[in-house]
Amino acid sequence: MKKRLFTPGPTPVPENVALAMAQPIIHHRNPEFIEIFARVNENLKYLFQTKQDVYTLTSSGTGAMEAAVANLFSYGDKVIFVNGGKFGERWGEICRAYGVEAIEVKIEWGRAVTPEEIKEQLKKYPDVKAVLVTHSETSTGVFTDVKELSRIVHENSDAVIVVDGITSVGAHELYMDEWGLDVVITGSQKGLMIPPGLSFIALSEKAWGMVERSNLPKYYFSLKKAKKALQNGDTPWTPAIALIVALDVALKMIKEEGLENIWRRHEKLSKAVREGCKAIGLKLFGEPPSYAVTAVYFPDGIDKKEFQRTLKYKYGVTVAGGQEHLKDKIFRISHLGYYDEIDIVGVISAIEMALLESGFDEFNPGDGVRAVQNVFAEYEKSKLTQNDDEKFLSCCH
Amino acid sequence: MKKRLFTPGPTPVPENVALAMAQPIIHHRNPEFIEIFARVNENLKYLFQTKQDVYTLTSSGTGAMEAAVANLFSYGDKVIFVNGGKFGERWGEICRAYGVEAIEVKIEWGRAVTPEEIKEQLKKYPDVKAVLVTHSETSTGVFTDVKELSRIVHENSDAVIVVDGITSVGAHELYMDEWGLDVVITGSQKGLMIPPGLSFIALSEKAWGMVERSNLPKYYFSLKKAKKALQNGDTPWTPAIALIVALDVALKMIKEEGLENIWRRHEKLSKAVREGCKAIGLKLFGEPPSYAVTAVYFPDGIDKKEFQRTLKYKYGVTVAGGQEHLKDKIFRISHLGYYDEIDIVGVISAIEMALLESGFDEFNPGDGVRAVQNVFAEYEKSKLTQNDDEKFLSCCH
């Protein structure tokens, strides 16, 4: 059966990226690999929109989160973290595991923290060293405006802002340097379209200053060691070579399409998924929505297990279920990474058919798909208008 | 140019293993992956010769070393570690990074620690919690008899023995349970024949008891979290899925060949490399030799750079240089993992030709290769004798 993965990590791996991994393995000190790694490092800066080096760690995204905590902070440091979902919660867990005092801003799952809420906490705790947030909360499909949060943090404190961009990098607009984000992390099996096993972290000058003072124990995730190794174009430990070779191919694809185009594609596809779901009569969960993943309530009265089984075993479509208390309430459709218009038509069509076969029939077959295509048509129209404007400008200047 | 990798990690990846990685990515909570992971976990127990679970971490081997330290010990604990090379040294570095008092048994690079030396240290420091050793020291090509060390440690102390088996597992005889090894770790890009990015760790009951009491900070490498996840056939964080799919294929190959046969193959191939080198007039470094890697002195008077360039760019052969103070003194030929007789003939032949072309001609072309083939002939003969014995036994019982 054809496999169609609509999960927020792993995401589908392009065929040429997958085949790159199957090439004969090369040694990481070979000139051939050093050349690949140098190119990867340049392209990662483009991806993060930063002049800082982006460090590649061999770990899942959680490893990069731990690297941020263990390298920036010291025993007893106080930080604020936003818990609006499973991954926001993780910031707190990691800090506490390391003896960092983590002040929780608890947000009802399904909404985003507001700049005012952060401002309020910064007034209450003026001595915090950092504010840790999640750009796209994978567990709820909620987007947080980290550009605005960064402004608030820097205007109201000396704290750094640490951003989990694991499912936002490559989906949402993100300008690390311009927005003043001090730490940005991401993972490989997300917008980067390669299998899991690598994570990435970049730090501002200010964050590097904190690394110098940090006294928490670390070795494998030591960013000082990573920095020293990178000065020789190297990593401190043997990296996941095959994944870096794949990453090189994926980053070339990203550069070719262009970040702005990729962000716009994710905006469009995510809007199409939302409109498609609404047209079928499904209620969306979470606001404002992430461009990476759409969370949808199961409709009342359907056999949820049967619905998911039909999706998976009849149409080859894997979506993600809900996590924690949302386990049987929502399912999540990912559109992060290697997706196009026809993929979205496919997943909405599969959802329509699986719903009809599971006893939910409050819509006409094709309603969802029509809404999806309407969104694409709108974007096509706006692109034409945009092109006309460009033409106008270019003939008048 | 054909690539011929003779480095002690990464090691060559079998073609069917490489192609397994290029398959469409599957989700780690999919039944298909859960089945693969369950099989992998069973086969890893066979590899380690243990009834304990073997935990798969997404990291390089150093990550598993850190996992051992961070999970077993507490602040101020005292341990003994053997520094007979770069990787033994690493045990001490990790312990110290975590505030563990690490007593160094410094061994001249190129020889192995003796049981008496360990016994002496245990008498001197009766309160140590662990003895950390390296089974096959990759930087020097030296083998350490951990079976005997384990006996000594258990007879003379309450300490656990922690074994870095990164380049020994799959090359040297190792019976974790039978020998009383409390912790064994290994990496993926070694005897396991897959690309780097995974590491493995197994713990005895006694070591698990220490995990319960450990107060060092950890999160990503928390073995308690790994244990809890494995009870559901899962990992706490998204694993390097493509590498685990490759591992499944590699472990099937290992099971098919049989561990005893694999150990014997490594013994034979390593002996052939040593005899081949000696026949050319090269001096071996280190004693007793590891079956994973052979360290050889550069002969006097050759242009070392030219020699290595010729090997690499004319014959496609990558060997490893020396590390630290051995940088320009030795080179290392690995024969760990996916190698057979003809590979060894090839590497010795390439070394012969590169030496002749670099101004070293104190041998006749083919001397090394003849010695290699003589070793194979000896093994073939002993196998025949063995088979006759077996036949004799089977007809008489």
Side-chain angles (χ1 to χ4, degrees), chain A residues 3 7 10 18 21-22 27 30-32 58-60 66 75 90 93-94 97 196 217 219-220 237-241 312-313, chain B residues 3 7 10 18 21-22 27 30-32 58-60 66 75 90 93-94 97 196 217 219-220 237-240 312-313:
Chain A
K3 280 172 192 153
T7 51
M21 287 193 296
H27 195 272
N30 251 9
E32 198 181 340
T58 296
S59 75
S60 83
E66 178 160 339
Y75 288 114
R90 189 164 291 175
E93 288 176 7
I94 298 172
Y219 190 83
Y220 183 74
W237 329 116
T238 308
I241 296 168
K312 194 176 222 149
Y313 297 109
Chain B
K3 282 173 191 151
T7 52
M21 286 195 296
H27 195 272
N30 253 9
E32 197 181 340
T58 296
S59 76
S60 83
E66 178 160 339
Y75 289 113
R90 188 163 293 174
E93 288 177 6
I94 299 172
Y219 190 83
Y220 183 74
W237 329 116
T238 309
K312 194 177 222 147
Y313 297 111

Side-chain angles (χ1 to χ4, degrees), chain A residues 298-305 307 355 358-361:
Chain A
F298 285 109
D300 290 336
I302 68 155
D303 183 336
K304 293 162 196 169
K305 289 253 177 268
F307 167 64
L355 281 174
S358 314
F360 179 80
D361 57 1

Side-chain angles (χ1 to χ4, degrees), chain A residues 83-90 93 106 109 137-140 285 298 320-330 332, chain B residues 29 219 228 236-237:
Chain A
N83 175 1
K86 198 174 161 62
F87 295 93
E89 188 178 44
R90 189 164 291 175
E93 288 176 7
K106 180 104 182 157
W109 286 29
E137 173 56 63
T138 319
S139 63
T140 62
F285 175 85
F298 285 109
Q323 292 176 299
E324 311 280 327
H325 67 275
L326 297 174
K327 201 169 159 45
D328 287 317
K329 292 199 175 127
I330 62 166
R332 294 171 298 148
Chain B
R29 303 269 155 80
Y219 190 83
K228 203 175 153 197
W237 329 116

Side-chain angles (χ1 to χ4, degrees), chain A residues 175-200:
Chain A
Y175 294 96
M176 177 171 164
D177 291 356
E178 200 184 309
W179 293 357
L181 307 177
D182 293 290
V183 178
V184 175
I185 66 157
T186 196
S188 57
Q189 77 278 25
K190 310 285 180 173
L192 277 168
M193 309 179 289
I194 71 166
L198 296 178
S199 66
F200 308 91

Side-chain angles (χ1 to χ4, degrees), chain B residues 2-282:
Chain B
K2 274 204 178 183
K3 282 173 191 151
R4 296 180 173 88
L5 205 55
F6 289 88
T7 52
T11 63
V13 177
E15 296 77 352
N16 54 336
V17 173
L19 287 169
M21 286 195 296
Q23 288 180 99
I25 189 99
I26 47 179
H27 195 272
H28 50 295
R29 303 269 155 80
N30 253 9
E32 197 181 340
F33 181 78
I34 290 167
E35 193 186 313
I36 288 172
F37 195 51
R39 186 166 53 229
V40 158
N41 288 329
E42 271 315 299
N43 288 342
L44 283 171
K45 288 183 193 183
Y46 168 68
L47 181 72
F48 277 52
Q49 290 290 302
T50 182
K51 283 178 186 160
Q52 302 295 332
D53 285 319
V54 181
Y55 293 87
T56 299
L57 310 175
T58 296
S59 76
S60 83
T62 303
M65 293 174 77
E66 178 160 339
V69 170
N71 283 277
L72 259 69
F73 308 136
S74 293
Y75 289 113
D77 271 358
K78 205 180 281 179
V79 303
I80 291 170
F81 76 102
V82 178
N83 175 3
K86 198 175 161 62
F87 295 93
E89 189 179 44
R90 188 163 293 174
W91 277 129
E93 288 177 6
I94 299 172
C95 286
R96 285 163 190 165
Y98 273 84
V100 171
E101 192 182 331
I103 296 151
E104 183 175 21
V105 182
K106 178 103 180 157
I107 303 292
E108 191 196 349
W109 287 29
R111 75 167 186 91
V113 72
T114 63
E116 292 68 37
E117 285 167 312
I118 292 296
K119 200 170 168 179
E120 195 182 305
Q121 293 298 319
L122 287 170
K123 269 194 190 150
K124 211 162 147 191
Y125 303 101
D127 55 341
V128 295
K129 292 288 192 328
V131 177
L132 301 110
V133 296
T134 315
H135 197 188
S136 161
E137 174 57 63
T138 319
S139 63
T140 61
V142 166
F143 165 80
T144 295
D145 183 353
V146 298
K147 181 185 179 185
E148 182 59 13
L149 289 190
S150 180
R151 205 181 56 78
I152 291 290
V153 168
H154 293 311
E155 271 184 19
N156 294 278
S157 74
D158 278 332
V160 291
I161 179 162
V162 178
V163 177
D164 168 356
I166 292 181
T167 56
S168 74
V169 169
H172 277 278
E173 201 183 41
L174 182 145
Y175 296 95
M176 177 172 164
D177 291 356
E178 201 185 309
W179 293 358
L181 308 178
D182 293 290
V183 178
V184 174
I185 66 158
T186 196
S188 56
Q189 76 278 25
K190 310 285 180 175
L192 275 168
M193 308 179 289
I194 70 165
L198 293 179
S199 67
F200 308 90
I201 184 166
L203 280 70
S204 69
E205 287 300 329
K206 188 173 176 183
W208 275 112
M210 290 171 74
V211 172
E212 287 303 320
R213 295 185 295 276
S214 161
N215 68 9
L216 294 179
K218 57 244 167 198
Y219 190 83
Y220 183 74
F221 288 127
S222 163
L223 293 177
K224 272 193 190 174
K225 287 189 199 295
K227 192 178 196 174
K228 203 175 153 197
L230 196 62
Q231 280 161 359
N232 301 313
D234 205 354
T235 52
W237 329 116
T238 309
I241 296 168
L243 293 177
I244 290 176
V245 169
L247 177 64
D248 183 36
V249 179
L251 282 168
K252 279 182 200 164
M253 288 172 70
I254 287 174
K255 234 181 138 182
E256 214 168 302
E257 184 175 356
L259 266 183
E260 289 79 4
N261 293 328
I262 291 173
W263 296 334
R264 193 167 162 87
R265 172 165 58 83
H266 281 82
E267 180 197 308
K268 179 174 73 174
L269 300 186
S270 67
K271 189 171 180 197
V273 168
R274 290 193 302 275
E275 293 304 319
C277 287
K278 285 195 276 182
I280 307 171
L282 296 178

